[in-house]
Amino acid sequence: MKRLTLMCAALCLAGSVLAGEARPLAEDPVVEQRMIAISEELRCLVCQNESLAGSHAELAEDLRREIRTMIRAGKSDTEIMDFLVARYGDFVRYRPPLKGTTLLLWGGPFVLLLGGIAGLLLYLRQRNAQTDAPLDEAERRRVAALLADAEKRNVSQ
Amino acid sequence: MKRVLLIPIALFVVLLGFLAVGLNKDPHSIPSPLIDKPAPAFRLPQLGADGKTFGPEDMRGKVWILNVWASWCVSCRDEHPVLVAFSRTNTVPLVGLDYKDKPDDANRWLASFGNPYQIVAVDADGRVGIDYGVYGVPETYVIDRNGVIRYKQIGPVTQEVLDQTILPLIRKLST
C-alpha cells in the first residue's frame, strides 16, 4: 500500500513536471489562444484532413506565424479569415460560407434527406393501400391441412 | 415489387458515377481565388545579383510567367526540362520565385540543371508565397499585361499542360 502511494505520488509529480515543460513557447498566451481558435477553423492545404492548428507541415507553421503577426497587429478574426480565404479560397475553411458554389455542399444532405422521407412515405402509402386478397377454397383447404399436421406433430412430441 | 428493386440499383449507379468522377480528380488541385485578380505586389532581392530587386510591376505591359520553385522540391526536377526547353523558345519572360530556399543551394541547383529564368526572386521566408496562395511547390502563374493573374498551375508544368493550356493562353493574351 505504501509502495502504491509512493508510486502515485511519483506519477503525479512526473505529470506536473511534464506539464511545465510542454507549455507553449509563445510569449503571449492570449495571442496563442486566439491563434489556435482561428486555426482550428482552417484546413491545412498540405495535409488536407488536418486543421491548421494541428498540422506540422511547414506551410502550416508559416501560416500560424502569419496569423500571430496579424493578431498582434490588432486585426479582427474576420479580417484574418478573409486574408486566408483571399489567398487559398473557401476550401481553407472547415465551415465554408453559403453561396452559389457551395450551395450543393450545404443543401445536398437536406435534399437527400427529403428524398429519403418522400421515398419512405410513398412506400408506406403503397403498403397500406394493399388489401389482403381473400383465400380461395383450395388455399383454405391447404391451410387447414397444414394446421392439422402441425397439431399432430405437437401432440406426438 | 420489381420496380422497388430497381431503386437501390439506380442509387448504386449514381454513386458509381460520383466515385468515377472523384477518382479522376486531383484533390490537391484547388481552384485559386487569385485567378483574374491582380498579382500581389512584392519587392524581393534577386538571386545572384547583388542589391538588385524584383517586383511584378517591373513586368507591366508584358505577358509573363512566374514559376515558384525550390532546390529542395523534388517535383521541380520533373518540370525543369520543360521549362528549360520553353525558355529557349523566347516566348515570354519566365521569372522564378525561389521559395523558402538557401541562395547557395538554389545557385548550385540551377548550375547543375540549367537556368531557364530571366530573373529569380528570392522568397526566403515564404511570405510572398503566402500572398500567392502557394501550398505545394512547384506552382506556376501566367500574368497578363495589366498584371492580372490569368492562370495557375498547381504541381509540375508538363509538356501537355504547356502545349494545351499555357501556350494558347499566352498567344491569346499577347494579341
Side-chain angles (χ1 to χ4, degrees):
Chain A
M1 192 62 210
K2 211 171 178 185
R3 231 168 119 190
L4 198 74
T5 328
L6 213 73
M7 253 162 75
C8 276
L11 271 174
C12 292
L13 217 74
S16 65
V17 168
L18 272 178
E21 279 175 355
R23 210 162 279 161
L25 294 160
E27 317 89 88
D28 191 344
V30 181
V31 168
E32 205 60 15
Q33 217 163 27
R34 256 188 77 197
M35 187 278 290
I36 289 169
I38 294 169
S39 57
E40 268 173 352
E41 284 287 313
L42 295 165
R43 186 196 308 274
C44 171
L45 285 121
V46 181
C47 18
Q48 298 180 350
N49 290 328
E50 261 187 309
S51 79
L52 203 54
S55 176
H56 288 286
E58 225 176 291
L59 177 68
E61 266 164 43
D62 288 354
L63 286 175
R64 286 198 295 264
R65 181 196 65 198
E66 213 62 20
I67 293 171
R68 266 186 218 115
T69 319
M70 282 188 277
I71 290 171
R72 286 206 198 95
K75 295 264 169 77
S76 75
D77 287 9
T78 340
E79 279 173 308
I80 295 171
M81 209 62 113
D82 288 347
F83 172 89
L84 287 152
V85 169
R87 281 155 183 77
Y88 296 100
D90 287 329
F91 189 74
V92 289
R93 299 180 61 170
Y94 275 123
R95 286 186 285 179
L98 184 60
K99 60 183 194 190
T101 46
T102 57
L103 210 61
L104 190 66
L105 185 68
W106 283 99
F110 297 104
V111 172
L112 284 179
L113 180 70
L114 284 179
I117 290 174
L120 182 69
L121 285 179
L122 221 69
Y123 171 70
L124 286 177
R125 192 176 294 174
Q126 219 168 36
R127 202 177 64 171
N128 286 344
Q130 270 174 4
T131 46
D132 296 335
L135 298 180
D136 62 23
E137 198 46 45
E139 283 170 334
R140 210 165 295 171
R141 239 178 283 141
R142 195 154 167 253
V143 169
L146 283 171
L147 283 173
D149 198 37
E151 193 94 337
K152 231 180 270 166
R153 253 183 240 173
N154 272 346
V155 170
S156 65
Q157 262 177 5
Chain B
M1 195 61 208
K2 254 184 191 164
R3 210 185 285 167
V4 174
L5 272 176
L6 280 177
I7 295 173
I9 296 174
L11 284 176
F12 178 68
V13 169
V14 170
L15 183 70
L16 220 60
F18 274 109
L19 290 176
V21 172
L23 262 184
N24 289 314
K25 275 192 162 176
D26 180 7
H28 278 277
S29 116
I30 299 155
S32 171
L34 287 163
I35 305 289
D36 293 330
K37 301 256 166 66
F42 62 81
R43 189 59 38 207
L44 286 175
Q46 284 184 26
L47 184 72
D50 271 335
K52 271 207 209 160
T53 61
F54 172 80
E57 62 268 28
D58 299 352
M59 297 308 242
R60 265 291 149 99
K62 285 183 200 159
V63 179
W64 60 292
I65 293 177
L66 181 70
N67 173 249
V68 184
W69 67 284
S71 68
W72 47 261
C73 152
V74 180
S75 27
C76 294
R77 287 180 199 206
D78 292 342
E79 74 168 4
H80 206 66
V82 178
L83 295 182
V84 170
F86 170 76
S87 71
R88 292 216 180 99
T89 64
N90 280 325
T91 318
V92 289
L94 178 63
V95 176
L97 185 71
D98 189 22
Y99 177 72
K100 301 200 75 168
D101 206 355
K102 292 194 190 85
D104 285 347
D105 292 345
N107 276 322
R108 212 173 306 132
W109 199 83
L110 289 177
S112 53
F113 296 110
N115 185 356
Y117 306 110
Q118 215 170 61
I119 295 164
V120 175
V122 181
D123 182 22
D125 59 4
R127 277 237 158 83
V128 170
I130 289 176
D131 279 344
Y132 277 76
V134 171
Y135 61 88
V137 198
E139 291 189 13
T140 305
Y141 302 80
V142 178
I143 298 165
D144 74 8
R145 285 183 178 138
N146 301 319
V148 174
I149 297 176
R150 300 302 289 265
Y151 176 76
K152 179 183 179 187
Q153 168 74 19
I154 294 155
V157 171
T158 58
Q159 195 63 49
E160 202 187 347
V161 169
L162 188 70
D163 289 340
Q164 288 173 12
T165 314
I166 296 179
L167 286 177
L169 178 66
I170 287 173
R171 249 174 265 137
K172 204 183 96 193
L173 294 175
S174 303
T175 48

